[in-house]
Amino acid sequence: MKALLIESEGVSRFTDVARPQLGEGDVRIAVRHVGICGSDLNTFRGLNPLVELPRIPGHEIGGEIIEAGSGVSSAYQPGRRVIVLPYTSCGTCSSCRKGRVNACRYNRTLGVQQDGGLAEEIVLPAEKLILNDTLDPRFLALVEPLSVGFHAVARGRVSSSDRIVVLGCGMIGMGVVIGAVARGADVIAVDLSPEKTTLAKQFGARHTINAGTEDVGARIVELTSDQGVDVAFEAVGLPETFRQAIDLAGFCGRVVYVGYAKAPVTYQTQMFNLKELDIMGSRNATKSDFDAVIAYLETIGDRAASLISKVIPFAEAEGALPFWDKNRDVLKVIVER
């Protein structure tokens, strides 16, 4: 069968791979839609330290059941649509023992630490699949990235009394915006792209700031009467935005890092203490985050289409990563088969 392989930095091509074997408890999936993630793009650009090349990318996956192995519930019938939970958990590390399986020490995300879903078929354990015949098939590939944003909102303990800032309105940042708006928070969305900040406003952000033409710090002072925000979310992955999140958070505020910087970050740490900040990392998402996003997408219906920038046929998938690499303002590229 065919799969897309990131062979080396800047090179993606189709390759023939063996059809995966179906074991006990497994389900064979015909992959229909795969979202291209920023981590896939960084892998293509040679900037993802978690990936060893060559690698089949793709962990934002929607598909259709072909067959189920022995021991699988009769609910997993051929033709039913599924959303993939692309993470693994060992069950024994300290994270898993605390019930935070999304941060398993030994996690191997599809398309990152192991080959992913940009192939004609994949085989996965049934417990890694969420059945859903309600959403438009294209929207199944939106669930995972939005769930990462929803998880960050949960980590930040966002409530209706909070004013928050989201640095970066890519797909993860949009998940933060949407998840925070759903909790009733007052959201300020920041990005270099006017298209992305406009979309953030359409999905409920009260204020937007263009980081390329406006002084972000000065605007936050203005919008918060110099109090700073209750929660600052970093969803860019640059040292300067890591530091900026600390600056924008108010006293006794919270900072949630969703992106991760590809270079060392140097801080003046006094504000950690003077503001008595809660500084948190956020990783992946949980099943409950997926369920919350699915419920949200079912509520908004076809409005979710505005989150998809471009759909590329599977036969043309060799061009998907080069396209996004040259068009950085694009929010979401989906490969469709």
Side-chain angles (χ1 to χ4, degrees), residues 30-180:
V31 176
R32 298 303 186 202
H33 294 90
V34 180
I36 305 296
C37 177
S39 64
D40 298 321
L41 181 60
N42 280 328
T43 298
F44 179 75
R45 297 171 64 204
L47 298 175
N48 192 336
L50 302 178
V51 176
E52 294 182 4
L53 297 178
R55 175 68 73 227
I56 298 170
H59 59 267
E60 303 171 1
I61 305 166
E64 183 179 309
I65 295 174
I66 298 173
E67 61 176 328
S70 61
V72 175
S73 166
S74 60
Y76 293 84
Q77 290 292 317
R80 295 205 65 183
R81 297 199 297 269
V82 294
I83 300 157
V84 171
L85 291 159
Y87 326 116
T88 67
S89 54
C90 70
T92 58
C93 73
S94 58
S95 301
C96 289
R97 292 199 307 271
K98 292 171 183 172
R100 293 167 65 176
V101 296
N102 59 291
C104 174
R105 179 176 181 177
Y106 304 108
N107 169 65
R108 299 178 70 242
T109 298
L110 293 174
V112 183
Q113 292 93 350
Q114 60 175 317
D115 283 338
L118 247 170
E120 293 179 294
E121 296 179 6
I122 54 172
V123 169
L124 293 168
E127 64 265 21
K128 294 299 180 182
L129 304 173
I130 301 173
L131 294 165
N132 187 282
D133 297 313
T134 307
L135 290 175
D136 183 296
R138 296 169 298 161
F139 301 161
L140 301 182
L142 298 177
V143 174
E144 193 277 342
L146 291 175
S147 296
V148 174
F150 272 50
H151 183 73
V153 169
R155 286 285 288 149
R157 307 188 301 277
V158 172
S159 73
S160 59
S161 63
D162 287 328
R163 175 170 287 159
I164 76 160
V165 66
V166 183
L167 301 175
C169 294
M171 200 62 185
I172 305 303
M174 281 298 300
V176 176
V177 169
I178 292 168

Side-chain angles (χ1 to χ4, degrees), residues 206-284:
R206 185 175 179 186
H207 301 284
T208 62
I209 302 173
N210 186 314
T213 60
E214 299 179 77
D215 184 324
V216 175
R219 285 284 287 135
I220 294 296
V221 167
E222 176 188 346
L223 292 170
T224 66
S225 300
D226 201 22
Q227 295 300 302
V229 297
D230 299 293
V231 197
F233 291 89
E234 199 286 338
V236 179
L238 294 173
E240 50 266 43
T241 45
F242 265 63
R243 289 188 290 267
Q244 188 176 52
I246 300 295
D247 295 336
L248 301 181
F251 277 66
C252 294
R254 304 179 300 279
V255 174
V256 182
Y257 289 130
V258 197
Y260 64 89
K262 290 77 180 173
V265 183
T266 303
Y267 291 93
Q268 296 291 336
T269 62
Q270 63 265 34
M271 285 303 172
F272 294 9
N273 306 89
L274 293 177
K275 290 184 177 180
E276 199 173 52
L277 296 174
D278 292 345
I279 302 173
M280 291 163 278
S282 183
R283 184 182 184 190
N284 298 334

Side-chain angles (χ1 to χ4, degrees), residues 291-319:
D291 290 340
V293 170
I294 291 166
Y296 171 79
L297 291 175
E298 288 176 343
T299 299
I300 68 168
D302 287 343
R303 282 188 63 212
S306 62
L307 296 170
I308 301 173
S309 306
K310 188 174 181 65
V311 177
I312 294 177
F314 182 77
E316 300 171 17
E318 286 183 347

